Amino acid sequence: MKTIIGLIYGGKSAEHEVSLSTAYEVMQAIDYAKFDVLPIYITIQGEWCQGEKRTTPFEHKESLRFDSKGKADSIQQIIANGLAFDLAFPVLHGTNGEDGTVQGLFEVLNIPYVGNGVLASSAGMDKVSMKQLFEIAGLAQVPYVHFVRPDWEQNRAEVIEKAEKELPYPMFVKPANLGSSVGISKADDRAQLEEAIELALRFDRKIVIEEGVTAREIEMGVLGNDYPEFSVPGEIKPIAAFYDYEAKYQDDSTELVIPAEVSEEVKSKMTEMARGAYRVLDCAGLVRADFFVTANDEVYINEVNTMPGFTKTSMFPLLWQNTGMTYPEIIERLIELAMERHTAKQ
Ligand code: ADP
Ligand code: MG
Ligand code: MG
């Protein structure tokens, strides 16, 4: 009997479209001699729609955007009907998908799932918790401060004062719980800082402010459970002011240089830091670890992404291709790792 993969994509998230592209590519790459695919589309409103089991991929990306014609159009119904898949492959980015909530659902249902568990997913989604854990692991990162909405509501001057006391301009202001650069802006002075905070607060109640660095952005792929493996590093060369949402997904203004031109020393520093991050967050399956590398080769960890962009032109698969693993091989490895982790828990 073939294993049925529940491919879960879309989602009530700013990264809905990205998830759809990823799901389309993953479907093309799955080995249908070994697996069938049950597509489960989460609409932008958050409805779960279960499709028909597939033994071949969809021909068009748009076909992934279906409604279930009333058959199973909520998570409650999908569960009540008896789960029609053996392993979950969530390709969801951001809130409700990459943040541990969906992972918790699979834990409760006791089914194997691809990627990180609850802790790594939720800690990786919250930039403040992630930084605090990195600090415990002794990983170098840029100086930062953080606050929550009531701090701002009660005493704006104090928030500004704390940021200015700890950090020089320019600063980067970020909502703690998003990805894809949504709600992030750079502030060169106090007026911009206030504006950036107001913007970030539209997306989250928890905000992080960082010292802005002038540095190259270099990333590394990690694959594995207890014994992770590391890809070659790759550099993002944005033409925009910073690597914002448009640059990431909507235009060709970034260039990926793989492998990145770095010294062996920088490469091994990055590998050790990626290993430390993987361990302190207790990651499984995969992450993409993102670094800032300054002109004098100082390396700071920026973040890990527990469900990195995964289309064929995304950094993560390209890093592995350069390390000797094809796109279908990565997919197969992720499924193997999900099974392995599930078995180890039993
Ligand atoms: P996301 O999780 O949304 O990708 P990041 O923290 O990676 O958020 O920030 C998005 C982008 O903003 C980075 O890729 C980088 O271009 C820029 N950036 C973020 N923080 C800093 C910083 N402290 N200094 C310089 N650039 C930064
Ligand atoms: Mg991120
Ligand atoms: Mg990032």
Side-chain angles (χ1 to χ4, degrees), residues 98 124-125 127 130 178-181 248 288 290 303-305:
E98 195 178 344
M125 183 49 46
K127 290 188 194 300
M130 178 163 54
L178 281 175
S180 293
S181 304
K248 277 179 184 169
R288 197 191 67 225
D290 298 354
E303 61 166 345
V304 297
N305 289 286

Side-chain angles (χ1 to χ4, degrees), residues 127-129 131-132 144-148 151 159 162 167 176 206-210:
K127 290 188 194 300
V128 175
S129 303
K131 283 173 187 296
Q132 288 168 335
Y144 69 97
V145 296
H146 63 95
F147 67 92
V148 287
D151 299 333
V159 171
K162 184 175 165 200
L167 315 167
K206 199 193 273 186
I207 307 297
V208 49
I209 308 178
E210 290 173 20

Side-chain angles (χ1 to χ4, degrees), residues 281-303:
L281 294 184
D282 199 19
C283 295
L286 76 166
V287 301
R288 197 191 67 225
D290 298 354
F291 299 88
F292 294 126
V293 179
T294 67
N296 49 359
D297 278 357
E298 277 167 297
V299 182
Y300 300 105
I301 191 157
N302 174 30
E303 61 166 345

Side-chain angles (χ1 to χ4, degrees), residues 14 17 20 33-34 41 62 128 157 161 165 289 325 330 343:
E17 291 303 315
L20 238 77
K34 290 188 194 159
Y41 172 50
E62 280 309 306
V128 175
E161 192 186 322
K165 192 168 146 236
M325 212 174 198
I330 303 167
T343 311

Side-chain angles (χ1 to χ4, degrees), residues 5-13 15-27 30 37-42 48 64 88-98 102-103 106 113-115 286 306-311 327 331 334:
I5 297 173
L7 186 68
I8 303 162
Y9 58 89
K12 195 176 173 180
S13 144
E15 288 149 306
H16 185 93
E17 291 303 315
V18 185
S19 167
L20 238 77
S21 303
T22 303
Y24 178 71
E25 306 267 1
V26 169
M27 254 190 127
I30 281 173
V37 174
L38 187 78
I40 299 176
Y41 172 50
I42 308 177
W48 289 52
L64 276 85
F89 197 143
V91 289
L92 300 162
H93 305 292
T95 325
N96 287 334
E98 195 178 344
V102 150
Q103 289 74 13
F106 302 139
Y113 57 95
V114 167
L286 76 166
T306 54
M307 187 45 80
F310 216 99
T311 66
Y327 192 87
I331 303 297
L334 286 171

Side-chain angles (χ1 to χ4, degrees), residues 15-263:
E15 288 149 306
H16 185 93
E17 291 303 315
V18 185
S19 167
L20 238 77
S21 303
T22 303
Y24 178 71
E25 306 267 1
V26 169
M27 254 190 127
Q28 306 294 313
I30 281 173
D31 180 355
Y32 289 85
K34 290 188 194 159
F35 305 104
D36 288 332
V37 174
L38 187 78
I40 299 176
Y41 172 50
I42 308 177
T43 66
I44 193 83
Q45 286 81 26
E47 257 348 303
W48 289 52
C49 302
Q50 182 170 310
E52 302 288 339
K53 190 172 81 177
R54 309 269 323 173
T55 53
T56 54
F58 284 121
E59 276 173 35
H60 306 286
K61 187 186 150 191
E62 280 309 306
S63 313
L64 276 85
R65 215 189 296 267
F66 52 79
D67 69 49
S68 66
K69 301 190 179 68
K71 271 187 282 179
D73 54 8
S74 69
I75 179 69
Q76 289 88 340
Q77 251 177 305
I78 291 172
I79 295 170
N81 291 350
L83 282 192
F85 55 92
D86 308 306
L87 173 139
F89 197 143
V91 289
L92 300 162
H93 305 292
T95 325
N96 287 334
E98 195 178 344
D99 62 359
T101 51
V102 150
Q103 289 74 13
L105 175 69
F106 302 139
E107 289 288 345
V108 173
L109 294 170
N110 194 31
I111 55 167
Y113 57 95
V114 167
N116 283 282
V118 174
L119 177 74
S121 302
S122 55
M125 183 49 46
D126 185 299
K127 290 188 194 300
V128 175
S129 303
M130 178 163 54
K131 283 173 187 296
Q132 288 168 335
L133 287 168
F134 287 169
E135 221 163 288
I136 289 170
L139 306 177
Q141 48 190 339
V142 297
Y144 69 97
V145 296
H146 63 95
F147 67 92
V148 287
R149 183 178 287 121
D151 299 333
W152 182 248
E153 284 167 353
Q154 282 160 22
N155 198 338
R156 295 167 67 124
E158 199 172 78
V159 171
I160 298 284
E161 192 186 322
K162 184 175 165 200
E164 288 183 340
K165 192 168 146 236
E166 309 258 336
L167 315 167
Y169 286 103
M171 299 179 200
F172 272 79
V173 181
K174 312 176 180 182
N177 283 285
L178 281 175
S180 293
S181 304
V182 175
I184 297 184
S185 41
K186 185 180 174 191
D188 289 318
D189 54 38
R190 188 176 295 178
Q192 286 182 6
L193 179 60
E194 287 181 4
E195 220 172 286
I197 290 172
E198 292 287 354
L199 174 74
L201 279 170
R202 295 224 296 265
F203 296 95
D204 198 0
R205 62 183 290 283
K206 199 193 273 186
I207 307 297
V208 49
I209 308 178
E210 290 173 20
E211 178 178 330
V213 286
T214 307
R216 297 162 69 192
E217 291 189 62
I218 304 186
E219 310 185 335
M220 197 172 247
V222 188
L223 260 178
N225 290 336
D226 290 340
Y227 302 97
E229 295 177 274
F230 303 87
S231 76
V232 297
E235 178 167 4
I236 294 156
K237 291 201 166 162
I239 293 159
F242 70 94
Y243 197 32
D244 60 9
Y245 188 87
E246 279 71 29
K248 277 179 184 169
Y249 301 118
Q250 287 165 6
D251 58 30
D252 301 323
S253 64
T254 49
E255 186 194 348
L256 304 184
V257 182
I258 308 172
E261 282 174 41
V262 291
S263 64

